[in-house]
Amino acid sequence: MQDPNEDTEWNDVLRAKGILPPKPKEAEITEDDIIGMIENTIEQKANGGKDMSKMGLDELDELEDSEDEAVLEEYRRKRIAELQQLARKAKFGSLLEISGQDYVNEVTKAGEGIYVVLHLYSRGVPFCSLVNQHLSQLAPRFPATKFVRAIATTCIPNYPERNLPTIFIYYEGQLRKQFVGMIELGGTNLTCDELEYMLGQTKAIESGITEDPRKERAVKDKMFAELADNNDW
């Protein structure tokens, strides 16, 4: 029996009359497919089939004798920068207690490219304890940023307690932003997410929170207030 899929004139006549089904079309190869195959071939030739993103510096050094040295050297430089960035991020990760004597070295001389979040507090102000609690949670999540706290009067003699808590944001030793007092920090109901958002807006941390959580809280507070008014006899 003749193969109905065979490419013959007789089968073409039968297909034209609808006796045989149309010949299955071969999958079309797009321009993107061709480019992808070329790139895969080049990469496999250059690195012996290894995943470059998982290579260490020693392995990249071994590839410098390949045909595409310029590309490999550029990739190597990027990998070095990534590793240096990771090393720098591992530098911090906790909320450090400092005194007035430590201020210059720990804050104004923190180093190039370093953000410092400084919390001035008093043990006699309950809201300061809440802020310290939130900062203790944020510090390990953003280890590239230096989080420090200090009793206010050890850094600034006679600093008014009404201004506490106070958060100063420094970058490379320069004051960039300050939050002074309870009102600027959002009140005693301040959540960790809200504080994270506020610090993220100063660029002190790379927060993934892009919408102000305080807006949602304000809406909820308004709804609860309206419910309370409606139930007030």
Side-chain angles (χ1 to χ4, degrees):
M1 182 176 181
Q2 187 173 352
D3 184 357
N5 293 321
E6 187 177 357
D7 191 11
T8 64
E9 292 184 3
W10 175 245
N11 282 345
D12 288 340
V13 172
L14 295 178
R15 291 189 190 100
K17 294 182 176 296
I19 298 174
L20 289 179
K23 185 178 180 181
K25 292 184 179 180
E26 296 181 358
E28 295 184 1
I29 299 178
T30 66
E31 184 177 352
D32 289 340
D33 293 331
I34 296 173
I35 293 174
M37 287 187 287
I38 293 173
E39 290 178 345
N40 289 336
T41 301
I42 293 173
E43 184 173 346
Q44 290 175 2
K45 183 178 180 181
N47 60 35
K50 295 182 179 179
D51 186 351
M52 293 177 66
S53 65
K54 297 180 180 178
M55 289 183 182
L57 296 180
D58 292 338
E59 291 178 290
L60 291 173
D61 282 335
E62 293 176 1
L63 295 176
E64 287 187 348
D65 294 332
S66 68
E67 297 177 357
D68 207 353
E69 291 185 8
V71 174
L72 291 173
E73 180 58 26
E74 176 64 21
Y75 190 86
R76 184 174 183 274
R77 284 196 294 266
K78 290 180 179 180
R79 287 288 289 154
I80 290 174
E82 289 174 359
L83 293 174
Q84 289 174 336
Q85 180 73 0
L86 289 174
R88 183 174 72 85
K89 287 186 175 182
K91 191 173 183 179
F92 309 114
S94 62
L95 179 59
L96 176 66
E97 180 84 27
I98 66 171
S99 66
Q101 295 177 340
D102 304 319
Y103 179 84
V104 173
N105 288 332
E106 298 292 345
V107 178
T108 60
K109 292 184 178 180
E112 182 180 353
I114 301 298
Y115 273 99
V116 179
V117 176
L118 169 63
H119 177 212
L120 297 183
Y121 75 99
S122 170
R123 293 190 177 94
V125 179
F127 187 40
C128 290
S129 298
L130 178 65
V131 173
N132 277 330
Q133 179 180 335
H134 292 337
L135 293 177
S136 295
Q137 295 179 38
L138 294 175
R141 289 165 52 192
F142 301 98
T145 299
K146 190 173 188 178
F147 287 83
V148 297
R149 68 181 186 181
I151 295 176
T153 52
T154 66
C155 292
I156 307 175
N158 302 317
Y159 191 73
E161 192 169 282
R162 67 176 179 274
N163 290 343
L164 300 179
T166 294
I167 292 181
F168 292 134
I169 308 296
Y170 287 85
Y171 180 69
E172 296 185 341
Q174 301 297 317
L175 181 63
R176 291 295 184 88
K177 178 68 177 178
Q178 59 186 18
F179 300 96
V180 179
M182 184 184 302
I183 295 178
E184 282 197 27
L185 282 167
T188 56
N189 292 325
L190 177 71
T191 67
C192 190
D193 282 350
E194 290 169 355
L195 183 56
E196 178 182 333
Y197 172 79
M198 294 165 67
L199 296 179
Q201 293 301 296
T202 71
K203 307 302 182 183
I205 60 176
E206 296 180 1
S207 173
I209 301 176
T210 57
E211 296 292 334
D212 191 346
R214 292 171 296 182
K215 293 180 180 179
E216 183 178 353
R217 176 156 62 92
V219 172
K220 289 182 179 179
D221 290 346
K222 184 178 179 181
M223 291 175 60
F224 287 140
E226 291 176 350
L227 288 173
D229 289 341
N230 290 336
N231 293 328
D232 189 10
W233 298 91

